Amino acid sequence: MRIKNILLGAFLTAGISASAQDNTITVETAKLGAPVQPTMYGIFFEDINYAADGGLYAELVINRSFEFPNPFAGWDISGKVTLQNDGPFDKNPHYVRLAPSGHNDKHTMIENHGFFGMGLKKGAAYRFTVWARCPEGGNSKIWIDLVDNATMGEDQKLGNGGIEVSGKEWKKYTLVLKAGKTIERAHLRVWGDSRVTTDLEHVSLFPVDTYNGDENGMRKDLAQALFDMKPGVFRFPGGCIVEGTDLATRYQWKNTVGPVENRPLNENRWHYTFTSRYYPNYFQSYGLGFYEYFRLSEQIGAEPLPVLNVGMSCQFQNNIRNEKKVHVAIEDLQPYIDDCIDLIEFANGDPAKNKWAALRAEMGHPAPFNLKYLGVGNEQWDYKDNKAFSKRLKVFMDAIRKVHPEIKLIGTSGPNSEGEDFDLGWTAMKELKADLVDEHFYRNINWFKNEMYRYDEYDRKGPKVFAGEYACHDSGKKYNHAGASIYEAAFMTNLEKNADIVHMATYAPLFAHVEGWQWRPDAIWFDNLRSAKTVSYHVQALYAQNKGTHVLKTTLATPTPKGQDGIFSSAVYDKEQDEVIVKVVNTTEKAQQVDIQLQGKKAIARVNTISLDCSDYDMENTVDNPNAIVPVQGTAKAEGSLIKATIPAKTFVIYKAK
Ligand code: AHR
């Protein structure tokens, strides 16, 4: 009997590919399906690829507090410069002393290289700030230059000014400079006084024109790209940096709030994770910390989703069999649990009643941030029956739920998209009644083809799904190109169809500096002046901008067999716009006729379309050519309730019917 069925199946499959495919998509518009969660499509942020320092965080000075293991990393010094370590900020005690050189023709100066240089724009204003004093008393004058070291001109300066420093007390000084030309690799020079010794700490330079004008702000084009996407959720701060390489280097949010001058430096594990792309000067200044992440979530209209450490270091980088040695013992988890509970207070608490909430108010946000979700653990898993992750997560969940039952807790099924560890993870998450389970899949095209119906069979009664990190990595071609992005678009029809259980999905990683990346593909690339939204970014944005409010059932007359190229579709209704939105992805090599039948509608007044042509397999959007592939608006014709369309090869089209 089984053999007969297999043969019949094989015969049918052969029959499908031989005969003409019927691409009629029936959309049942009369009955609304599950609501599409406002959080459905969002953003995963991690400080990888210089995404934070040197990227989204608009600070232009690297190692501004002289706290790198090599305190002068990123700096050139000349004349009499010495490092001191009894500065005004206890968590960043280093500062520099600029003493007179003792000779008229010798000069004391420090010069910062920025992150791969500093990108400056002609006519734009830059805010230089420094903490300074004259340790021996008196007044001094320091000079600040923006310079182009590579110029053939007479003068390297492209903007400069001076600051009078007075007295023995540490004070903050500010000077706004204008750049005389656009340059990708400027440096910053600070000259000491030739007569009076001057101490400098926290030397900083920001564009005045940051996103929303915030002083400790974000780079405008990069933050704008996030806003443009209309993300529903913003996950931060990672990724593997949540775990660190070891517990000492895990991300600790309490070190990232309060005055920026006193946020201690942390390693960034991406500086050494790959010896093939090694970045010895990659650290986390925490200038972009949890307060800034919450603010940014608010500014871009996304629900904040912080992920905290579960008392475990990175299982990839430590001996998973020897879990007791590398992770926190169950009885010692309390400080980690406190971090979670205190974070909820920092985000939502009453400043009059809680010190973390009071700090939020002091930092400028008395109103709560309305935190609803908390991830505990990044890529953690149980190794066979050691329950390394789940037994720790249980302790966290019990404690958090006792005081904050309103917060939805997110567990994880680990780094694998299937297999023994993945299954163990899901079983444990069900037992623990996690609200959502964070799944990760960086996989090739064949995997995506095979998983086009992944969520159809998922248990409807268990936790909801958070597809927290995913991207199509093609088959060994780990770079952004349209040939991979089309499979992301096709796969996302399945996320959308299953919006009753898939509540969040975030492509990853988000950002990459063209000179500082460790991992690709990524959603947005940038250099010091420019940025490019990749085709994968556009896929994400098109879904997020057209997510609708309710799923509509779609049926394709000839469904694509598992593992094959074909037509994939999903549909939603948008209550606010009174619009039916149908997404169709043609992953095949040829144009396809598609009939979209809106069952339950008598007539369609108008159909607007947006299409993304991914047919040029290797094409990518780069900082040099950012608009090689962009969404194109159009219209389609309808006859009654039928939309008849031809979808070009490897193209993603959205039909918006009124
Ligand atoms: O996104 C890059 C890395 O991939 C993340 O840090 C980690 O969670 C995953 O392994």
Side-chain angles (χ1 to χ4, degrees), residues 44 46 48 239-241 270 316 378-379 440 442 469 508-509 519:
F44 160 93
E46 176 168 22
I48 183 173
C240 289
I241 65 165
W270 296 109
F316 283 116
N378 174 45
E379 279 182 347
H440 295 181
Y442 297 104
E469 292 184 36
W519 183 292

Side-chain angles (χ1 to χ4, degrees), residues 25-36 493-500 546-556 569-575 578-583 596-601 655-657:
I25 298 166
T26 307
V27 183
E28 291 177 29
T29 66
K31 191 168 162 232
L32 295 187
V36 179
T493 59
N494 192 250
L495 299 180
E496 190 157 277
K497 277 181 177 162
N498 290 287
D500 61 323
N546 297 285
K547 66 174 173 281
T549 51
H550 293 82
V551 180
L552 296 176
K553 189 170 177 209
T554 54
T555 317
L556 183 62
S569 66
S570 59
V572 291
Y573 174 64
D574 190 311
K575 228 172 177 176
D578 186 20
E579 216 170 45
V580 173
I581 304 172
V582 186
K583 303 184 179 81
I596 303 169
Q597 180 67 61
L598 300 194
Q599 204 174 62
K601 297 269 173 214
Y655 298 88
K656 300 173 79 166

Side-chain angles (χ1 to χ4, degrees), residues 418-636:
E418 55 273 303
E420 194 185 340
D421 296 341
F422 174 86
D423 293 341
L424 277 176
W426 259 98
T427 306
M429 294 310 108
K430 283 181 182 171
E431 276 169 21
L432 293 177
K433 296 195 168 38
D435 292 291
L436 291 105
V437 176
D438 178 13
E439 295 191 346
H440 295 181
F441 34 92
Y442 297 104
R443 294 291 185 258
N444 64 27
I445 286 179
N446 280 336
W447 184 92
F448 274 83
K449 283 186 187 172
N450 276 307
E451 295 294 314
M452 287 298 174
Y453 307 107
R454 180 178 177 91
Y455 294 108
D456 295 355
E457 304 302 326
Y458 264 50
D459 180 1
R460 282 13 227 186
K461 293 194 201 89
K464 308 299 179 203
V465 174
F466 169 28
E469 292 184 36
Y470 70 96
C472 180
H473 281 195
D474 204 339
S475 310
K477 290 187 176 193
K478 282 188 170 193
Y479 56 86
N480 287 92
H481 59 291
S485 307
I486 192 72
Y487 289 94
E488 290 156 3
F491 177 79
M492 289 174 78
T493 59
N494 192 250
L495 299 180
E496 190 157 277
K497 277 181 177 162
N498 290 287
D500 61 323
I501 51 155
V502 181
H503 282 194
M504 297 176 182
T506 56
Y507 175 94
L510 179 62
F511 285 121
H513 192 296
V514 294
E515 293 178 61
W517 64 270
Q518 298 82 42
W519 183 292
R520 61 181 179 171
D522 306 286
I524 301 166
W525 285 83
F526 60 92
D527 63 15
N528 283 353
L529 292 169
R530 304 167 298 171
S531 51
K533 297 167 172 170
T534 62
V535 184
S536 292
Y537 167 97
H538 288 302
V539 168
Q540 295 298 316
L542 287 175
Y543 270 90
Q545 292 157 2
N546 297 285
K547 66 174 173 281
T549 51
H550 293 82
V551 180
L552 296 176
K553 189 170 177 209
T554 54
T555 317
L556 183 62
T558 318
T560 303
K562 203 176 174 190
Q564 299 210 2
D565 274 333
I567 296 285
F568 299 91
S569 66
S570 59
V572 291
Y573 174 64
D574 190 311
K575 228 172 177 176
E576 278 112 57
Q577 304 296 323
D578 186 20
E579 216 170 45
V580 173
I581 304 172
V582 186
K583 303 184 179 81
V584 189
V585 186
N586 176 6
T587 61
T588 74
E589 298 282 350
K590 53 181 195 303
Q592 300 270 359
Q593 289 297 130
V594 174
D595 288 349
I596 303 169
Q597 180 67 61
L598 300 194
Q599 204 174 62
K601 297 269 173 214
K602 286 207 181 86
I604 301 169
R606 195 175 67 241
V607 185
N608 292 326
T609 62
I610 313 170
S611 46
L612 192 66
D613 176 353
C614 299
S615 58
D616 193 341
Y617 185 86
D618 276 320
M619 185 55 83
E620 58 180 323
N621 294 338
T622 63
V623 288
D624 292 324
N625 188 14
N627 297 320
I629 299 178
V630 290
V632 175
Q633 313 269 350
T635 53

Side-chain angles (χ1 to χ4, degrees), residues 306-436:
V307 180
L308 295 190
N309 190 294
V310 66
M312 298 178 78
S313 56
C314 174
Q315 286 169 269
F316 283 116
Q317 292 181 319
N318 294 283
N319 185 348
I320 53 170
R321 289 178 190 82
N322 214 344
E323 57 114 352
K324 284 198 183 114
K325 287 208 173 131
V326 291
H327 307 312
V328 181
I330 299 280
E331 56 277 17
D332 297 331
L333 284 174
Q334 196 55 46
Y336 292 73
I337 296 168
D338 290 345
D339 279 356
C340 294
I341 293 171
D342 292 342
L343 178 66
I344 298 168
E345 293 298 339
F346 177 76
N348 295 351
D350 178 350
K353 294 189 182 143
N354 179 278
K355 74 168 187 177
W356 294 106
L359 177 61
R360 180 193 77 233
E362 200 180 296
M363 291 182 76
H365 204 288
F369 282 118
N370 281 321
L371 176 69
K372 299 187 182 85
Y373 303 94
L374 179 65
V376 188
N378 174 45
E379 279 182 347
Q380 258 64 63
W381 67 93
D382 289 348
Y383 179 70
K384 300 216 181 283
D385 56 0
N386 74 358
K387 295 202 183 291
F389 172 47
S390 57
K391 70 184 173 201
R392 286 180 175 79
L393 183 62
K394 178 171 176 9
V395 184
F396 276 75
M397 284 183 156
D398 290 348
I400 299 169
R401 281 182 171 148
K402 209 183 250 174
V403 281
H404 285 293
E406 75 283 6
I407 298 291
K408 288 198 162 45
L409 295 177
I410 304 180
T412 167
S413 51
N416 293 315
S417 47
E418 55 273 303
E420 194 185 340
D421 296 341
F422 174 86
D423 293 341
L424 277 176
W426 259 98
T427 306
M429 294 310 108
K430 283 181 182 171
E431 276 169 21
L432 293 177
K433 296 195 168 38
D435 292 291
L436 291 105

